[in-house]
Every structure is written in C-alpha cells, then in structure tokens.
Amino acid sequence: MRSDRIKKGLQQAPARSMLRAVGVGDEDFQRPFVGVVNTFTDGMPCNYHLRQLALDVKAGLREAGAFPFEFGAPAISDGISMGTPGMRASLISREVIADSVELVAQGYLYDGMVVLSACDKTIPGGAMGVIRSGVPGVVLYGGTIAPGEWRGRKLTIVSVFEAVGQRAAGKITDEELLEIERHAIPGPGACGGQYTANTMAMALEALGLSPIGYNAIPAVHPEKPKATREAGHILARAIERNWKPQDFLTRRSFLNAIAAVAATGGSTNAVLHLLAIAREVGVELSLDDFDQVSRKTPVIADLLPWGTYTAWELYEAGGTALVFQKLLEAGLLYGEERTLTGNTLAEEVERAYRESPGQQVVFPVEQALKPQGGLVVLKGNLAPRGAVLKLAGTERTYFEGPARVFDSEEAAMEKVLAKEIRPGDVVVIRYVGPKGAPGMPEMLSVTSALVGEGLGPEVALLTDGRFSGGTRGLMIGHIAPEAFVGGPIALLEDGDRVRIDVAKRLLEVLLPEEELRRRQERWQPRPPAFRHGLFARYAALVEQADQGAVLKDPEA
C-alpha cells in the first residue's frame, strides 16, 4: 500500500504515534488509508448536509476494511455570489479544490480518495483532484434539492432570479417577489433543475467516476445514507484491485458524458469542466467533439430550465440510469466502457435501471423532444476559436441585430432593470472572461432578468464569460479569444450588426475585414484587475475557454 511509506517501518514510529492520537489502532495500520474530502459549508444549502454524508461514507469504508481520514476543501455558492464580485471566485475555486485534493493525497500518501461534492465547481474540482492523486477514487454528489412550491407552481432558484426581472417589469409586486424568495429553497441540496450541478453529477456517472444511480438520489431522500455507505464499499474494492481513474477513463468515456449532457439539455458549463477533466487524464477532447456528439444526440429528458420537471422528479421517474438506458438502446452510448466498479457502463446501468410506470420525464429516442442535443459550438469573426450556445432552451436559430456593448455585467444589469434593452438588441458583456474578470463569472442575473421581463425570445446575449445551467434563451458564452487578450469581441461598438446563424454554426459581426483590422490596431490592453495573490496568479496562468479554462503547466 502507498500509505505504508507513512505508517510502517522503524523510522515512522513518530508518525504512528501521532496517528494513534486521532484514533488509529494497532490493527488499523494494516488497513488502506483513505482521504475523505468534504466540501461542506453552512454558507449555502447545496453542501449544507455533507457532514452527515461524510459520516455515512466513512462508516462504509470502515465496514469494508479501510480507515478513513476526513478533511475539508472550499466551496463557493454560485447562487449567492451571482451578479456580484464574489462570482469571480467560483471557477477559480475549481482549481483550488483540485489542488487541495492532490495536495493532501500526496502529503499523507493515501491509498484512495473520496470527494463529497455538491455546488457546481466542487464536482469537476473533485474529479480533477482525484485523477491527479493517482490512486483509486470516487466523487460523490450530495444530491438535488427538493423543489419549492408557491401557488401550485414548482420553484427553483432560477424562479427567484427570473422574478427579479418580473418585478422590474411590473409583472409582480414586492410582496409576490418576497413570497417566491421565501418558498424557492425548502432545504439542503443543490439547485433543482438540470443546471450545472445536476448536469455534472450525471456526467460523472457516465464517465464512471461516480456509481451509476448514486448522484441522482436527492439530498434529503431516505435512500441517500445507505447508498453512501455502499459507495464506501465500492471504493474499498477498487483499492484492493488498485483500480484507478486512469485505468478506465477513455475518450469514449468522455463522449458518453457529452451525450448525457446533450440528451438532457444540460449546462454549457459541462463544456468547460469536461475539457478540464479530460486534460487531467491525458484524453484529447475539443469543442468540436461537443458539437458533433450533440448533433447526433436528441433531447429526451423534459427538464428545467427549458422544460417542465425538476431533478427530484427525474429521480422519481427512474434517475440517471433511465436516461442512460434509453441512450444505450439507441446506440448513443459506448456501453462497453468500464467504470470505477470494474464493470462496464452497460452492466452498471442494467443493475440500476428502473422506470416508474407512466413517467413523463424521459422518453425513448424515437419520441425525442428535440432532434438534436442542446450543445452548439459557433465560430466566426467574433469567435475564431469558438463560442458555446445551449440550444435546448430556445427556439430561435437565426438572429440579427444591433450590438449593445457593456464592459461589465453590472453595467448591463443596470440597463436591463431600467428597461432600456429593446427587442432585437444583441447585448454584449465583455472583459469578463477567464483572464479579464478574472474567473469567467456566470451571467444568470442578467439572463434571468431579461427572461423575467419577457425579452427572452426577443434579444440575444454574447459574452466572453459563461452562463449558469439555469440560463435559457439565445445566450452565447465562452467566446474565445476573450476581450482581455484582444479577441474580436473587444472590437465591437454600439450599433454594429451582429449575426447569429445556428444552422451554419456562425457568429459574426457584419463589418469589413479592413475595419476590424483598423480597430485591432487602435485597441489597447487593460491592466489586470488584480496584481497580487490568488486572483492575480490565476489570471496569469489560465488558458482560454476553448481549452477548459485550465491553468498552464510549467514548460518542460
């Protein structure tokens, strides 16, 4: 065992002495040592319940003959930080979480790693860290929140964001906004639609990094504790066989994950995160892969934000295994790929498969809700290296209009709430990319306010930032290169005509090349937002969105 270097031999007597002080007994030194990374915080509902899940997974590990050690990693709430300077920290936290997992795994030479995740970036950050650890590992998702309810209507956090726009437009009263605010979040768990957390939780099951069916179990469902103990058993068996993520994660595993995202109208953040996870394991993946898989994968799940049902209702219908089974039946997943159990994806889906009679959440491929998946990659003179659109939430595939250019999210939000955005406008928010913000914040506050005011189908939005999984409408993000490094989005001026042609996968400004060259020559770079500390280091090292916004490695 790798941990023998820490716990065995004459010279490690001091280490054993310290370990005895935290409860390690004589017989425990013969067991595998497992790190349990807990992203608990009582600062938000998503991760609020992870303390209990840590107890459950540690109990399962002990039952299976391993010895667990729990430690913490940070978690930033997207829902709380949205629309504020705090949102800069969200994507940056993905790298800090991955670093934290890797650091402790190496510092203690653990034999296996568990990451308990919930809010958005803890999931990919945990996966990246587990892979870097180089040992058997599993990422467990805390689960979705229960839907809120108000006047017979299901609520999620996006309901509150959209209610802000409805209030600004005079469609609801202050009292109604307050009631929606009070009822949308009934308890622990991550945001309740097919937003980023639930999208990535499903993607990790498709990859094989999470047990099939586990992540779909809601946060407060009575089945969660037992399943969490069993996950401890699964990891213990993987440690016995030294079965590591590097042994089963393949290019086809990642194509399976993309197909699951596309089939459920999932979050565009999955593009960033799957690119980043693939890089950790050395698998080649590009923006084009997302577009190609999405073209051949129909949307078969009727889920919020564009559809009808919450993630809790998906679980009641049959959960992730139900989605995977429908895709396997249509030949849209590679069922022979292995998972953390050592079994194939198809074998694990068969074990977990169930379908509630009469469910209306997931449909066979031949009854698909949309013929192609939700992920679209656009290119053109505004996005030479690509941009990402979630098509599942919009019916418009062609848009042309004048640019309304803003150099910050706050400036755009001010105009939205003042009702100064008009039908036909193309709202542009720039200098909010990976380097420019830094941290590539999400724009859910702006997009939801537009939808709440009734402008969702009537305007488009472009940004070098990104969108929450809760965003819907003709909203295009991840534009690369970003404005901060002189990408073409930096050259746009108010009134420029912008064309979006989804069928042709085209995003362009209708200007002569000579004019764009003249503007490029006049363009001046901006000073960095931070010159010291973590945010400055991140901005200096981060790659562009089309590369997953990962940090550069030192040159060999």
Side-chain angles (χ1 to χ4, degrees), residues 173-198:
T173 65
D174 287 336
E175 291 74 20
E176 287 173 317
L177 173 59
L178 181 59
E179 285 301 299
I180 293 170
E181 173 189 325
R182 284 173 168 166
H183 289 86
I185 310 295
C191 300
Q194 192 66 344
Y195 312 144
T196 303
N198 287 315

Side-chain angles (χ1 to χ4, degrees), residues 58 96 166 174 177 251 346 370 382 412 459 463 504 510 528:
K58 287 192 293 185
V96 176
Q166 292 165 353
D174 287 336
L177 173 59
R251 176 171 164 78
K370 294 177 182 288
L382 273 179
V459 300
T463 182
K504 294 181 179 179
L510 303 181

Side-chain angles (χ1 to χ4, degrees), residues 149-274:
E149 187 173 347
W150 178 68
R151 295 183 179 177
R153 169 186 161 202
K154 295 189 298 288
L155 298 178
T156 69
I157 187 60
V158 175
S159 308
V160 189
F161 278 103
E162 293 183 359
V164 172
Q166 292 165 353
R167 179 64 194 94
K171 295 182 178 181
I172 61 174
T173 65
D174 287 336
E175 291 74 20
E176 287 173 317
L177 173 59
L178 181 59
E179 285 301 299
I180 293 170
E181 173 189 325
R182 284 173 168 166
H183 289 86
I185 310 295
C191 300
Q194 192 66 344
Y195 312 144
T196 303
N198 287 315
T199 296
M200 285 307 302
M202 180 179 289
L204 256 59
E205 287 193 23
L207 284 173
L209 274 171
S210 301
I212 300 298
Y214 176 86
N215 288 350
I217 303 172
V220 296
H221 198 283
E223 292 182 10
K224 198 73 170 181
K226 180 181 177 183
T228 306
R229 291 170 81 107
E230 175 56 28
H233 298 178
I234 291 171
L235 178 59
R237 292 193 289 268
I239 293 170
E240 288 176 8
R241 301 192 308 274
N242 196 29
W243 182 243
K244 304 180 292 295
Q246 289 87 340
D247 296 324
F248 60 83
L249 288 176
T250 67
R251 176 171 164 78
R252 286 185 169 186
S253 303
F254 283 91
L255 297 180
N256 283 343
I258 295 171
V261 174
T264 56
S267 169
T268 54
N269 277 318
V271 178
L272 277 181
H273 299 326
L274 289 173

Side-chain angles (χ1 to χ4, degrees), residues 55-140:
L55 295 175
D56 295 328
V57 75
K58 287 192 293 185
L61 286 164
R62 289 191 181 96
E63 289 166 358
F67 197 96
F69 298 88
E70 183 181 352
F71 63 96
I76 304 296
S77 169
D78 291 11
I80 293 173
S81 64
M82 196 75 68
T84 76
M87 191 66 212
R88 289 168 163 166
S90 174
L91 186 59
I92 295 175
S93 76
R94 185 188 74 181
E95 310 308 312
V96 176
I97 293 161
D99 290 349
S100 300
V101 177
E102 177 189 12
L103 186 67
V104 175
Q106 178 62 24
Y108 291 94
L109 298 180
Y110 287 140
D111 303 300
M113 298 296 291
V114 181
V115 178
L116 293 168
S117 63
C119 192
D120 296 3
K121 309 312 168 291
T122 62
I123 304 173
M128 293 160 69
V130 161
I131 292 167
R132 285 187 208 164
S133 299
V135 296
V138 60
V139 183
L140 302 177

Side-chain angles (χ1 to χ4, degrees), residues 491 493 515-525:
L491 311 180
E493 298 176 0
E515 174 62 17
L516 287 174
R517 278 196 297 270
R518 281 194 292 269
R519 294 186 187 183
Q520 188 76 65
E521 291 169 0
R522 296 196 305 266
W523 178 81
Q524 294 293 320

Side-chain angles (χ1 to χ4, degrees), residues 264-386:
T264 56
S267 169
T268 54
N269 277 318
V271 178
L272 277 181
H273 299 326
L274 289 173
L275 287 170
I277 297 169
R279 181 156 167 173
E280 296 292 347
V281 80
V283 167
E284 289 190 13
L285 204 66
S286 72
L287 283 183
D288 291 338
D289 291 316
F290 290 85
D291 195 74
Q292 291 167 10
V293 172
S294 193
R295 283 178 184 266
K296 67 178 183 180
T297 307
V299 177
I300 61 170
D302 185 9
L303 296 172
L304 292 169
W306 70 272
T308 307
Y309 297 102
T310 63
W312 186 294
E313 290 163 306
L314 171 62
Y315 177 71
E316 292 177 332
T320 45
L322 175 59
V323 175
F324 297 161
Q325 180 63 29
K326 302 298 185 187
L327 294 175
L328 284 167
E329 289 171 356
L332 294 173
L333 291 181
Y334 297 101
E336 68 277 13
E337 297 308 298
R338 298 282 169 180
T339 72
L340 70 105
T341 65
N343 298 328
T344 67
L345 178 67
E347 289 169 340
E348 287 298 306
V349 170
E350 182 179 6
R351 175 195 59 78
Y353 173 73
R354 61 181 176 82
E355 181 170 2
S356 297
Q359 64 85 18
Q360 294 293 307
V361 183
V362 181
F363 296 83
V365 167
E366 56 270 21
Q367 299 173 31
L369 302 169
K370 294 177 182 288
Q372 294 186 353
L375 299 176
V376 174
V377 175
L378 306 175
K379 294 184 179 180
N381 66 3
L382 273 179
R385 288 168 52 175

Side-chain angles (χ1 to χ4, degrees), residues 3-69:
S3 61
D4 286 350
R5 183 66 185 83
I6 287 281
K7 67 193 181 189
K8 291 190 176 181
L10 175 64
Q11 69 184 41
Q12 291 309 111
R16 290 193 296 274
S17 182
M18 297 190 76
L19 288 166
R20 292 179 191 279
V22 295
V24 181
D26 288 341
E27 68 284 357
D28 297 323
F29 290 109
Q30 310 306 316
R31 307 179 192 276
F33 280 8
V34 178
V36 177
V37 188
N38 191 350
T39 61
F40 158 82
T41 172
D42 56 12
M44 60 169 158
C46 312
N47 301 48
Y48 186 61
H49 61 303
L50 295 187
R51 275 180 170 169
Q52 180 57 50
L53 291 189
L55 295 175
D56 295 328
V57 75
K58 287 192 293 185
L61 286 164
R62 289 191 181 96
E63 289 166 358
F67 197 96
F69 298 88

